[in-house]
């Protein structure tokens, strides 16, 4: 969970670097999307139950997916003029 939040924080900071909207409105929208994604993934992971030995735990799946999504979004936002 901490890794996921850290990843979202880092990618939001990257998004903010390219944000030229008033009061960083686009960064706020970006962060809102990432938080909703984390909530959705956390809900899906908790409904899956715990994995057995050798299986990626739901918590790790949520973290990996959220960080990957956030990084992808940050890269797209940095690439835009």
């Amino acid at each position: 969970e901490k890794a996921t939040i850290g990843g979202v924080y880092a990618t939001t900071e990257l998004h903010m670097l390219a944000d030229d909207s008033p009061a960083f409105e686009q960064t706020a929208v970006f962060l809102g999307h990432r938080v909703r994604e984390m909530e959705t993934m956390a809900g899906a992971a908790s409904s899956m139950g715990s994995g057995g030995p050798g299986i990626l735990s739901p918590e790790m799946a949520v973290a990996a997916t959220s960080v990957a999504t956030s990084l992808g979004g940050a890269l797209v936002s940095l690439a835009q003029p």
Side-chain angles (χ1 to χ4, degrees), residues 67-79:
V67 169
T69 301
S70 292
L71 287 173
L75 290 174
V76 168
S77 70
L78 287 173

Side-chain angles (χ1 to χ4, degrees), residues 41-74:
M41 295 306 233
S46 65
S47 68
M48 288 178 8
S50 60
I55 297 175
L56 184 66
S57 73
E59 293 82 12
M60 291 301 292
V62 168
T65 303
S66 295
V67 169
T69 301
S70 292
L71 287 173

Side-chain angles (χ1 to χ4, degrees), residues 1 4-5 8 33-43 62 66:
E1 188 173 306
T4 303
I5 293 169
V8 169
H33 286 270
R34 302 298 77 81
V35 169
R36 281 189 293 284
E37 288 170 356
M38 285 190 332
E39 290 170 345
T40 300
M41 295 306 233
V62 168
S66 295

